[in-house]
Amino acid sequence: MEGGLAQKIKLSTIADALGVSTATVSLALRDSPLVADATRDRIKDYARAIGYIYNRRAASLRTSRSGIVGVVVHDIMNPFFAEILRSIESELDRSGQTFILSNHYDQLEKQRTFIDTLLQLGADGVIMSPAIGTPREDIEMMEENGLPVVLIARQVEGALVPVFRGDDAYGIGLATNHLISLGHRRIAMIGGTDQTSTGRDRYRGYVLAMEKAGLEVKPDWRVPGPRTKQGGFEATGQFLALKDKPTAAVCWNDLVAIGLMNGIARAGLVPGVDISVTGYDDLEEAAIATPALTTVWNGQREVGRRAARALLDRLGGNHEPVTPDLIRPELHVRQSTGRPSQR
Amino acid sequence: MEGGLAQKIKLSTIADALGVSTATVSLALRDSPLVADATRDRIKDYARAIGYIYNRRAASLRTSRSGIVGVVVHDIMNPFFAEILRSIESELDRSGQTFILSNHYDQLEKQRTFIDTLLQLGADGVIMSPAIGTPREDIEMMEENGLPVVLIARQVEGALVPVFRGDDAYGIGLATNHLISLGHRRIAMIGGTDQTSTGRDRYRGYVLAMEKAGLEVKPDWRVPGPRTKQGGFEATGQFLALKDKPTAAVCWNDLVAIGLMNGIARAGLVPGVDISVTGYDDLEEAAIATPALTTVWNGQREVGRRAARALLDRLGGNHEPVTPDLIRPELHVRQSTGRPSQR
DNA sequence: CTGAAAGCGCTTACAG
DNA sequence: CTGAAAGCGCTTACAG
């Protein structure tokens, strides 16, 4: 029953002990129907008894299948990605694939280093939220080297690979229209960047909704940059000092919204009463924030699930046409939004 | 410059093209001083030009070094672990090791599956926060199979491997004493479990501090279980309904504390004024919570850094004696604690 | 249903 | 400073 490091146990150890060939052992351990039941059981029992450990590197060298899938995101400390990862994980788990994770922190070089590692390990595929500035050529290089790619959250212009993300322009429109319908006329947009497709789409959606309602869009009312709680918190001063005092803020995401609400509360105002705030993503946290956050459900679970399935499909040899499947967001109204107050 | 999948490029492709042996190419690519400078440059340039990809599986099969380190935690969605991971990542990065991550969600079976995978991949080592109920034998099995283990956050009774964690009894004592010194006499403890060494240590520390101050410790005043924001939030009702109405709560961690503060605010009370609350960990978030959270710094960065270094040391062949290095926590006083109010 | 043998792409003594 | 050859531990045609 002991593992023991004394003599490395390999297929041939078992073959020799049982008087069969390594081919038979190999097939038996993988439950091949080519092996007689009795032989198979005898082999598996013995292997277990002496603590045999399958050497995947050797197998993978021979089969050129590694059972490894790479996952690359901006930052796992961001709960948005953490929720996506969780659902990727549960899909991958049941397929027996191991996944390797890396944060690129939007540094192209870090992303490239990791992609290199994946190629060297012979990874079977990769799911990635590409770093800002990822060129189409990087994606093509991976595909050419036999590493199938599935993108999440962000697009790479011109890359012909599946992308799973929410319909950002539509989603931010839901939040903006909600505020407009409550009577808000001066609405700011806090956070986000124009450097990503997501950032551009959300800003566009906000502008579109404002214009459709015949409302003025002041460039000042956009405070770009913040993407974290800390960022939202720190943007409070700038927001409260805006000319014409907006009565509401459409935030880049839930983190920024929660940070901003904290900042607003510190300034002695009541978020949801004095100032309305919307988030984006509907993180688990949104529902228990104070006040509970009105936000846009962005389908993280769905994004992760579909991306993982799409990749597994490709690994299974399925070469379906690429459907650029936009997930339709939903507005979840809670307590952080209300009619505009006089201030 | 094209990568191309046409003909798989390997060492011998380069050797043939340049009229040298694969041994020379192998050595040159790894900057061996055995190869003449001119030869090395010629080889490296050519390799780059034709888009050669190093096959780590083959190398690893030969050298039995994989360059892979496993990291196993309870849940990466927990910011406590995310902060530890970040510092592990930065240490490992500079050593050129790739890391594979897995959550065990305190399920022993999931942890075992992952450990199996690491053994099969020939991982060089593993850093783990062991799942509840991990027996000493599991750790020993890994070590016997050549997989060095370093533990973080939790201990495994009887396992002779390095453990990096904070001094929990001491840390919770800091929080408890702080409340006592503010004049609190009825102090509850919210969250945590007796099933882990950490859980037992923190409860013990709380009890000890209370007794030292001559205060009564009512079993009722312990609300075990919660470990997340959601959990803290949901425990609010039970906490507010406690007999003899405690004026303060020592929480299991920052997440529970923030959830509880949200719940208290929803109930119309002001955390930090009507009821004092302390956290544990000092997550980045603690400072921007409303009110800013008084908490105990638990040295996440430090835990990650030291664990990674200890593992790398062991990989480097260093067999130093095991120092059970407890990190000394520090109290960070903010706005969530104050003198007891009459209620 | 089972076995003998080649080969996946590296690295490492060993010669020269 | 460089080359020829063995071997890491599997799997896969190919025979029988």
Side-chain angles (χ1 to χ4, degrees):
Chain A
M1 278 300 177
E2 284 287 298
L5 193 63
Q7 213 65 271
K8 194 78 187 166
I9 298 164
K10 44 192 173 182
L11 276 194
S12 64
T13 315
I14 301 174
D16 290 351
L18 264 42
V20 296
S21 75
T22 58
T24 302
V25 177
S26 172
L27 293 169
L29 290 180
R30 284 174 295 142
D31 287 319
S32 162
L34 290 174
V35 179
D37 286 7
T39 316
R40 173 167 40 70
D41 292 349
R42 209 156 54 95
I43 289 172
K44 293 184 90 167
D45 287 351
Y46 186 72
R48 204 182 345 263
I50 63 172
Y52 168 70
I53 291 170
Y54 179 66
N55 188 325
R56 263 164 73 162
R57 288 168 294 175
S60 151
L61 181 58
R62 182 59 227 254
T63 63
S64 62
R65 265 278 207 152
S66 64
I68 290 175
V69 168
V71 178
V72 198
V73 297
H74 178 102
D75 185 1
I76 54 160
M77 275 193 61
N78 184 323
F80 170 73
F81 285 120
E83 291 186 6
I84 291 181
L85 287 179
R86 188 114 96 182
S87 76
I88 290 179
E89 180 188 27
S90 72
E91 286 300 316
L92 255 34
D93 261 7
R94 95 188 54 176
S95 76
Q97 295 272 341
T98 304
F99 77 90
I100 304 192
L101 190 68
S102 178
N103 302 313
H104 55 56
Y105 303 113
D106 269 325
Q107 294 163 27
L108 206 47
E109 270 326 302
K110 222 173 160 322
Q111 177 174 287
R112 284 187 176 139
T113 303
F114 184 65
I115 288 168
D116 245 40
T117 301
L118 290 178
L119 289 167
Q120 295 182 0
L121 290 172
D124 295 334
V126 58
I127 296 175
M128 64 188 278
S129 169
I132 289 175
T134 303
R136 183 165 57 80
E137 288 76 13
D138 281 22
I139 309 287
E140 286 165 354
M141 186 274 274
M142 294 186 248
E143 292 270 339
E144 278 164 13
N145 282 291
L147 183 67
V149 180
V150 168
L151 298 179
I152 50 174
R154 292 176 183 171
Q155 200 141 22
V156 169
E157 213 57 53
L160 298 172
V161 296
V163 187
F164 296 92
R165 58 196 201 97
D167 187 338
D168 290 295
Y170 174 80
I172 209 83
L174 292 176
T176 313
N177 287 332
H178 166 66
L179 290 169
I180 294 172
S181 75
L182 284 170
H184 293 274
R185 294 293 167 262
R186 302 189 306 281
I187 304 173
M189 172 147 189
I190 311 295
T193 165
D194 269 344
Q195 297 182 275
T196 65
S197 59
T198 318
R200 290 186 293 271
D201 288 355
R202 290 202 193 153
Y203 185 59
R204 190 163 50 78
Y206 154 78
V207 170
L208 226 65
M210 292 291 276
E211 287 176 347
K212 231 181 220 162
L215 298 177
E216 193 184 2
V217 179
K218 295 217 184 187
D220 281 9
W221 289 351
R222 182 176 198 205
V223 180
R227 293 197 273 169
T228 61
K229 261 183 216 176
Q230 189 70 40
F233 184 73
E234 285 165 1
T236 311
Q238 196 178 342
F239 169 70
L240 291 177
L242 286 179
K243 266 190 293 203
D244 307 316
K245 294 194 177 295
T247 57
V250 168
C251 292
W252 164 252
N253 62 15
D254 287 355
L255 298 178
V256 170
I258 291 171
L260 185 70
M261 293 202 303
N262 278 330
I264 289 172
R266 289 271 181 99
L269 296 168
V270 182
V273 176
D274 297 318
I275 292 173
S276 288
V277 175
T278 63
Y280 205 101
D281 288 343
D282 198 16
L283 302 178
E284 286 174 6
E285 202 172 334
I288 64 169
T290 307
L293 185 64
T294 295
T295 186
V296 178
W297 175 81
N298 195 13
Q300 288 84 279
R301 289 284 146 87
E302 206 46 28
V303 166
R305 213 173 50 76
R306 291 198 204 175
R309 291 215 178 143
L311 185 62
L312 292 173
D313 264 17
R314 289 194 67 186
L315 300 191
N318 209 329
H319 286 281
E320 295 285 298
V322 174
T323 43
D325 221 356
L326 282 192
I327 287 156
R328 174 152 284 229
E330 293 167 14
L331 182 71
H332 288 182
V333 177
R334 301 202 179 90
Q335 277 75 55
S336 68
T337 48
R339 309 206 145 271
S341 75
Q342 271 42 332
R343 56 164 189 126
Chain B
M1 275 302 177
E2 285 287 297
L5 195 62
Q7 213 65 270
K8 195 76 187 166
I9 298 165
K10 44 193 175 181
L11 276 193
S12 64
T13 315
I14 301 174
D16 291 352
L18 265 43
V20 296
S21 74
T22 57
T24 302
V25 177
S26 172
L27 293 169
L29 291 179
R30 285 174 294 141
D31 288 320
S32 161
L34 290 175
V35 179
D37 287 6
T39 317
R40 174 167 38 70
D41 291 348
R42 207 156 56 94
I43 289 172
K44 292 185 91 167
D45 287 350
Y46 186 72
R48 203 184 344 263
I50 64 173
Y52 168 69
I53 292 169
Y54 178 68
N55 189 326
R56 263 164 72 162
R57 288 169 293 176
S60 150
L61 181 57
R62 183 59 227 256
T63 62
S64 62
R65 266 277 207 152
S66 64
I68 290 174
V69 168
V71 178
V72 198
V73 298
H74 178 103
D75 184 2
I76 54 159
M77 275 192 61
N78 184 322
F80 170 73
F81 284 120
E83 292 186 6
I84 291 181
L85 287 179
R86 187 114 95 182
S87 75
I88 290 179
E89 181 189 28
S90 71
E91 286 300 316
L92 255 34
D93 261 9
R94 95 187 53 174
S95 76
Q97 295 273 338
T98 304
F99 77 91
I100 305 193
L101 189 68
S102 179
N103 302 313
H104 54 56
Y105 303 114
D106 268 324
Q107 293 163 28
L108 206 47
E109 270 326 301
K110 223 173 160 320
Q111 177 174 288
R112 285 188 175 140
T113 302
F114 184 66
I115 289 167
D116 246 40
T117 300
L118 290 177
L119 289 167
Q120 295 182 0
L121 289 172
D124 295 334
V126 58
I127 296 175
M128 64 189 279
S129 168
I132 289 175
T134 302
R136 184 165 58 80
E137 288 77 12
D138 281 22
I139 309 287
E140 286 165 355
M141 186 274 274
M142 294 186 249
E143 293 270 341
E144 278 164 14
N145 282 291
L147 183 67
V149 180
V150 168
L151 298 180
I152 50 175
R154 291 176 183 170
Q155 201 141 20
V156 169
E157 212 57 53
L160 298 173
V161 295
V163 187
F164 296 92
R165 58 195 201 95
D167 187 338
D168 290 295
Y170 173 79
I172 209 83
L174 292 177
T176 313
N177 287 333
H178 166 65
L179 290 169
I180 293 171
S181 74
L182 284 171
H184 294 273
R185 294 291 168 265
R186 303 188 305 280
I187 303 173
M189 171 145 188
I190 312 294
T193 165
D194 269 346
Q195 296 182 275
T196 65
S197 59
T198 318
R200 289 186 293 271
D201 288 354
R202 290 202 193 154
Y203 185 59
R204 189 163 49 76
Y206 153 79
V207 169
L208 226 66
M210 293 290 277
E211 287 175 346
K212 230 180 223 166
L215 299 177
E216 193 183 2
V217 179
K218 295 217 183 188
D220 282 9
W221 289 350
R222 182 177 197 203
V223 180
R227 292 199 272 170
T228 62
K229 262 183 214 176
Q230 188 71 40
F233 184 73
E234 285 164 2
T236 311
Q238 196 179 340
F239 168 70
L240 292 178
L242 286 178
K243 265 189 298 205
D244 305 317
K245 295 195 176 297
T247 57
V250 169
C251 293
W252 165 252
N253 62 15
D254 288 354
L255 297 178
V256 170
I258 291 171
L260 185 70
M261 292 202 303
N262 279 328
I264 289 172
R266 288 272 182 98
L269 296 168
V270 182
V273 177
D274 297 317
I275 292 173
S276 288
V277 176
T278 63
Y280 205 100
D281 288 344
D282 198 17
L283 301 178
E284 288 174 5
E285 206 174 330
I288 64 169
T290 307
L293 185 64
T294 295
T295 186
V296 179
W297 175 81
N298 196 11
Q300 288 85 280
R301 289 285 147 85
E302 205 47 29
V303 166
R305 213 172 50 77
R306 290 197 204 174
R309 292 216 179 143
L311 185 62
L312 292 173
D313 264 16
R314 288 196 66 186
L315 300 191
N318 209 331
H319 286 281
E320 295 286 298
V322 174
T323 44
D325 219 357
L326 281 192
I327 287 156
R328 174 151 283 229
E330 293 167 14
L331 182 71
H332 289 181
V333 177
R334 302 202 180 90
Q335 277 75 56
S336 67
T337 47
R339 307 205 146 271
S341 73
Q342 268 46 328
R343 54 163 191 130

